[in-house]
Amino acid sequence: MSYLISFEGIEGCGKTTQLEMAAKFLRRSNIPILTTEEPGGTPLGDRIRKILLNRESFDICAEAELLLFVAARAQHVREVLQPALAKGQWILCDRFSDATMVYQGFARGIDEKWIKKLNDFATMSLKPRLTLLFDLPAETGLRRALQRMTNLPENSKEDRFEQEGLNFHENIRNGYLSLARREPDRFRIINAAEDITAIHKEVCRHLETLRKNS
Ligand code: Z5A
């Protein structure tokens, strides 16, 4: 049985750390897995990622931003995700369609109906079987993200979104929580303010449940 599992949350919530730990846990259990990220995961997606996340000297309007995220996703689904699912792999994906709903919808204010249509078009209606939402106050997440960023060279900083105010990131958190309330069967909300090991245990518990039910 193959599954798409997405890891979501605000900036600095620790999802990437947890995704890597979850990948090791599944490999130890001999489950065939693929780890990937959005935007990214393909040569086109990586180029789009650079445009979207690095600070550049030109502006990107909300509508163009939306179309670029969705273009990267369309390529990712066809080139990487569908073939991996066909091979029976479990995919751990660092962000997926929910991120667009929350960042471009809730936070940037683009009509949800548009985003849903574009997401369905890009993904051919592929949805994660399980979405782990790492929830924590925006202030804590931003502090972690900025701390990590200080150690990076200037030209590799993906900090266009970190430039947004605290209010923007609080909207993101509320947006995710509201999506989770709409689809309680798919989402698991995890307290990301806990320490790394405690969070990992909870992630493993959810993955085990999925495996037992498969
Ligand atoms: N975006 C969008 O707008 N629309 C879309 O459709 C998509 C994305 C797909 C890039 O996403 C941006 O793209 C993102 C949304 C937008 N912008 N924002 N904001 P990304 O996922 O690539 O980038 P990110 O959100 O900045 O994630 P990240 O850099 O991978 O960080 P993270 O996954 O949230 O956290 P981390 O790297 O695992 O941890 C951050 C630091 O905290 C690090 O130093 C860890 O060691 C530390 N950490 C982790 N866990 C803990 C705990 N439990 N306690 C203490 N410290 C911890």
Side-chain angles (χ1 to χ4, degrees):
M1 187 67 95
S2 54
Y3 294 116
L4 171 61
I5 302 165
S6 57
F7 287 59
E8 298 276 4
I10 61 164
E11 190 78 354
C13 65
K15 62 187 168 41
T16 307
T17 305
Q18 291 299 329
L19 187 151
E20 284 160 10
M21 292 170 82
K24 285 189 188 142
F25 168 75
L26 291 174
R27 281 193 193 105
R28 278 197 303 272
S29 310
N30 292 320
I31 293 178
I33 65 151
L34 172 84
T35 62
T36 186
E37 66 175 358
E38 291 212 347
T42 66
L44 176 67
D46 291 342
R47 298 271 285 269
I48 293 178
R49 182 178 181 94
K50 280 209 179 78
I51 295 172
L52 282 168
L53 303 189
N54 294 15
R55 258 182 289 169
E56 300 273 4
S57 54
F58 51 83
D59 287 336
I60 304 176
C61 66
E63 292 76 8
E65 182 182 272
L66 165 65
L67 293 169
L68 286 168
F69 276 116
V70 170
R73 181 162 306 129
Q75 188 70 29
H76 194 208
V77 168
R78 287 157 185 79
E79 189 176 328
V80 176
L81 303 189
Q82 289 292 14
L85 290 171
K87 276 195 271 177
Q89 288 180 299
W90 287 37
I91 302 169
L92 306 185
C93 191
D94 198 334
R95 297 197 186 280
F96 196 58
S97 307
D98 296 311
T100 316
M101 196 57 113
V102 171
Y103 280 83
Q104 282 64 53
F106 285 90
R108 298 274 197 236
I110 297 179
D111 191 331
E112 232 181 81
K113 280 188 259 136
W114 273 102
I115 298 183
K116 191 177 175 318
K117 270 199 181 134
L118 286 168
N119 264 339
D120 285 348
F121 179 60
T123 62
M124 300 182 283
S125 300
L126 173 67
K127 270 201 154 196
R129 169 65 191 271
L130 173 69
T131 296
L132 299 175
L133 172 56
F134 297 86
D135 178 58
L136 86 174
E139 220 171 340
T140 317
L142 272 185
R143 199 173 44 241
R144 285 186 196 166
L146 292 173
Q147 230 162 27
R148 184 203 43 197
M149 207 88 66
T150 50
N151 304 322
L152 295 175
E154 201 56 39
N155 62 356
S156 66
K157 286 184 179 170
E158 293 183 336
D159 62 351
R160 195 168 67 84
F161 281 89
E162 281 82 350
Q163 306 308 311
E164 301 285 348
L166 191 58
N167 210 18
F168 177 90
H169 294 280
E170 269 160 8
N171 280 343
I172 300 290
R173 182 189 189 192
N174 291 331
Y176 271 122
L177 288 171
S178 115
L179 289 189
R181 279 193 294 273
R182 281 188 212 169
E183 288 186 74
D185 289 345
R186 173 164 68 91
F187 277 87
R188 295 290 173 272
I189 302 173
I190 293 175
N191 178 3
E194 297 263 355
D195 69 74
I196 290 179
T197 314
I199 300 171
H200 176 58
K201 274 194 190 145
E202 197 176 343
V203 169
C204 293
R205 197 167 54 77
H206 294 306
L207 295 174
E208 273 299 331
T209 307
L210 187 60
R211 186 158 75 138
K212 280 188 190 131
N213 294 337
S214 66

